[in-house]
Amino acid sequence: MATLESLNQEIAAQSAHLVELRKQQAEGSIMDEAKKKLGELKKSLALLQGAGGSRDASKKKERLLLKTAKGTRDYGPGEMFCREHVERIVKECFTTYGGSCLDTPVFERKDILAGKYGEDAKLIFDLKDQGGEELALRYDHTVPLARYLAMNGAITTQHKLWQVGKVYRRDNPVMSKGRMREFSQADFDISGVWDPMLPDAELISLLCTILTRLEVGDFTVKVNHRKLLDGIFEVCGVPSDKIRTISSAVDKLDKLPWADVKKEMTEEKGLDPVVADKIGEYVKHKGGPELLELLKADSALLANASAKLGIDEMELLFKYLDAYKVMNKISFDMSLARGLDYYTGIIYEAITEASAPPGFEAANAFASSSTIATSSAQTHAPTPPKKKSKKPAAEGEEEEVDESQVGVGSIAAGGRYDNLVGLFTSAAAAEGKKAPQLPCVGVSIGMDRIFAIVWPKWVERGMRSKETMAYVMAAGDGLIAERIRLVQELREAGIKVCYAHFWSTQAIDVVFVP
Amino acid sequence: MATLESLNQEIAAQSAHLVELRKQQAEGSIMDEAKKKLGELKKSLALLQGAGGSRDASKKKERLLLKTAKGTRDYGPGEMFCREHVERIVKECFTTYGGSCLDTPVFERKDILAGKYGEDAKLIFDLKDQGGEELALRYDHTVPLARYLAMNGAITTQHKLWQVGKVYRRDNPVMSKGRMREFSQADFDISGVWDPMLPDAELISLLCTILTRLEVGDFTVKVNHRKLLDGIFEVCGVPSDKIRTISSAVDKLDKLPWADVKKEMTEEKGLDPVVADKIGEYVKHKGGPELLELLKADSALLANASAKLGIDEMELLFKYLDAYKVMNKISFDMSLARGLDYYTGIIYEAITEASAPPGFEAANAFASSSTIATSSAQTHAPTPPKKKSKKPAAEGEEEEVDESQVGVGSIAAGGRYDNLVGLFTSAAAAEGKKAPQLPCVGVSIGMDRIFAIVWPKWVERGMRSKETMAYVMAAGDGLIAERIRLVQELREAGIKVCYAHFWSTQAIDVVFVP
């Protein structure tokens, strides 16, 4: 211990010397030399401590790749300070809107997830079968929530539940845009029977409140209705077995020009071009509540039960959104379809200027024409994207990603899913349980995408990585017990305090950006 | 929509009727009938909504087991309210002690975890190889932290980093005692060169502050030193290749009587009984700093370099812990050994009355004798446990668990590990990186075990499940837009507010205890 101790003393002395030099505003070369000496002393100390170390140090290891798994990353102190800030705001809004917290396990029994994600099921991370259950990492928070509601017989009561946590998809990552294999989602879901469309409007209001408070910049919430969309497809003459696949083609209109989407409908999916053109006339519309008047003037559409229900519900929704004072953020976008199978009512998606892919203008509320006859469907995509990113489709289908051509994408999305809980209760019904439906509507906020937008602004402004308010230091070594007593007295008084030497003050706000 | 609407109206009317009945304090039978009618109306509504639902509803599912994976569970609103409270206190203490937040992925490349956990490696959850890297769920926060520090070249600076999150072990779960396969740990680690023993004392002080603020009841922090223990083994004549395995036998003295531990040392592990008895004389001691005087009077021990270093460091530690005013919580327990291989200095473990297995008294600070000659080693275990739980050892070895015989176990533990980061830097050194050591000391707090202690008290006291301060309701239906405007006005003023009908007020504080 003698050498350890003497080395520690030397290091402390050298540190004090450096502090002194800094005070005297010594020349750079003198400072550099003093720093170099301190570094060497610390290296010697590390070596000495290593030499006296445990058996482990002598074990020879094979060459090791020091990295995190593909599509995952660490968040160091600076980033976490920002992420915790974002999370705090989101949670505060959740509780302000009457939500209660739920926490489900990070993995589920495989059969719980099975049959819920359609084509995207191939993106599910499975656990190795180590003798026991077949398990998989959760793909979203919605299916575990539905499983929870079904398990706990929460069928006849109203709930507002939120969950913030990580979900997992074996996708092609684009790290710089917050598209990860491990990513954080903040979900808020309202279940049970409420006044019609009130929970739906409540969620869109919640989303607008959160995005405004997070200062993500100008944003738009695109809204549409699955039943309206299905009614349109029926009226246009889409065979019922093709409705879902045609719907997913329509959903690409935010990234592809109409010509490409039409080609997919007709050439790939075998739709009659006449039917496709009819669809095109409908789905090119974006605008506000005035679009409803146009739709209500369409007698063929009004005669369709599904479309009629969608129009009525949209009308009620807009009325409530007006009371929530968020209509200036809303774009009634008839091309919005959303990928997931389980939506049954309104669907929505929030985008920002920053989240749009380059070459595409973010859809601004009411910015595009709502006149049926004159506007060309091409306005959906003012600049065609490069060939390479021509088929973004489901994220998992991308083989090659040109990062410069990828936007963050939607930063939040959701919709109504009235039958998902019923899938669980009816599947379990054979065991003597009741099999009721439970209407639900929810929103998922992509925390990593929001972080990707907010973080550069934090860096620009300059930010901290911890909350320490005061440092207690001594000029030189010693007085440790005295410093401890002072530090503890301050902490007991609620002051966030730490020790500092000259060299530790340099580390106070170190930010890792790996 | 007509029937949906009329049903909703009927439900609202019936709800209003119920509110009215309640106000009039109507008889039980009348109330029951009204409630029953409301229930039927809601059932009809659910059925109707189901019938009008999507394609999904018609898909036939196989019988499904509605449950979470073994050793995992959901936490509903009531529990999460308590858990968030616990987490908030822990994080606040972490920042008060100068910590910065770190977040690492939930899974790591398999080779990062390999060779770090000894026998317990069999408890690691592997991911299925789906074409790509071999991955495994993290087993603790310490190894990912060490990987992070090695990757980011944070070798020459001081850091205080904390991480709260879930870790995974394929263990035999005892759910009621908070022993899970998915469980939450809160870690705080101090890396880099500081004044000797200052970070060690800082961590024990932090632990005492947290446990006091969490009101877990009386607790004791057992402390020992690996180098002292190794020195004792050397002095007693344990062959160097047996030191680790004898150490793990000694670690069982909190659960087994000396006779059983001695039997394990001699019969199973082939130690000379004379050597075992010598060890027994040392490790039976529990007490305070006065034990150091006894050890320093032992010339054979003082002549051992490792033991001498351990004694010197313990002396300094006690001096600082006294300045931190926590010596009344400390038990210098010479039988404490801790399982993990990587510890190189002080080790510690916090237990509470509530966390001890039944039949064993929790070790109270200074309660047991520190006189060498008179106290019997049997005092380590006043009541021998049942045969069934005779070999608790590593949790993973248990084939059968008698829940009534299992305590929560230690609620927090940690120690100094000066060579773990070096394992990574030296393994990666072949790629041209430097291979320095980085001294570290840390503590892990078992959040689920703390929750298992705190939660029953919360239930007793009666607690909430959400923070809602006010509810806006209308007597009967209608006025929805007006209510929305009022709700939003209140929310903008910072009031946490929600809507309520008669039936939703019942759900305000519903707590699920599955």
Side-chain angles (χ1 to χ4, degrees), chain A residues 500-512:
Chain A
H501 277 293
F502 161 68
W503 71 82
S504 71
T505 54
Q506 292 190 306
I508 289 169
D509 265 341
V510 165
V511 177
F512 294 133

Side-chain angles (χ1 to χ4, degrees), chain A residues 286-325:
Chain A
K286 288 179 194 177
E290 75 284 357
L291 264 186
L292 287 175
E293 299 311 313
L294 289 170
L295 295 173
K296 287 201 294 199
D298 184 330
S299 57
L301 206 56
L302 266 198
N304 179 284
S306 179
K308 171 74 165 66
L309 180 65
I311 291 169
D312 287 349
E313 291 198 346
M314 287 299 277
E315 194 152 31
L316 201 51
L317 178 73
F318 287 140
K319 182 182 159 194
Y320 294 159
L321 291 179
D322 189 54
Y324 275 114
K325 295 183 214 147

Side-chain angles (χ1 to χ4, degrees), chain B residues 17-220:
Chain B
H17 179 54
L18 252 177
V19 174
E20 203 48 48
L21 286 178
R22 181 160 284 187
K23 269 193 208 149
Q24 297 164 1
Q25 300 188 309
E27 268 180 49
S29 61
I30 297 177
M31 287 290 290
D32 287 345
E33 203 178 316
K35 279 183 198 168
K36 198 177 151 197
K37 194 181 164 196
L38 182 62
E40 279 163 9
L41 283 171
K42 287 202 257 176
K43 238 182 253 175
S44 308
L45 182 70
L47 279 173
L48 189 70
Q49 287 172 324
S54 81
R55 285 145 293 277
D56 291 333
S58 63
K59 277 188 203 159
K60 278 271 170 262
K61 291 266 165 257
E62 305 231 328
R63 219 166 144 190
L64 181 83
L65 262 183
L66 262 187
K67 63 195 287 278
T68 57
K70 184 180 178 187
T72 71
R73 45 164 302 188
D74 300 315
Y75 294 98
E79 290 161 305
M80 282 312 292
F81 204 76
C82 175
R83 288 174 72 91
E84 292 254 307
H85 166 83
V86 167
E87 210 173 291
R88 207 173 301 124
I89 289 178
V90 170
K91 287 183 179 177
E92 209 174 282
C93 293
F94 283 174
T95 56
T96 299
Y97 275 71
S100 305
C101 185
L102 171 71
D103 187 51
T104 67
V106 87
F107 49 73
E108 293 277 343
R109 292 165 60 89
K110 195 93 220 264
D111 50 2
I112 296 290
L113 304 187
K116 308 296 186 305
Y117 302 109
E119 281 182 16
D120 286 348
K122 63 176 185 294
L123 302 181
I124 294 175
F125 269 105
D126 292 334
L127 267 69
K128 199 188 247 176
D129 187 352
Q130 292 170 290
E133 304 154 306
E134 284 200 55
L135 305 170
L137 297 184
R138 65 184 169 202
Y139 182 90
D140 61 15
H141 292 312
T142 313
V143 169
L145 168 73
R147 193 256 313 135
Y148 170 81
L149 290 170
M151 260 176 77
N152 289 279
I155 299 301
T156 49
T157 41
Q158 299 175 324
H159 288 286
K160 288 179 166 185
L161 292 170
W162 58 266
Q163 179 162 205
V164 179
K166 290 180 178 174
V167 298
Y168 299 86
R169 299 183 189 176
R170 289 184 54 256
D171 221 336
N172 280 310
V174 185
M175 311 285 280
S176 62
K177 302 292 168 64
R179 189 191 284 181
M180 317 279 290
R181 289 187 155 195
E182 171 180 69
F183 57 100
S184 182
Q185 281 195 337
D187 278 40
F188 192 100
D189 294 85
I190 305 180
S191 68
V193 178
W194 301 68
D195 288 300
M197 302 313 285
L198 181 59
D200 313 63
E202 175 94 336
L203 280 176
I204 291 175
S205 158
L206 169 65
L207 179 56
C208 291
T209 302
I210 288 173
L211 295 180
T212 303
R213 287 203 48 201
L214 287 177
E215 301 176 15
V216 297
D218 266 349
F219 66 89
T220 301

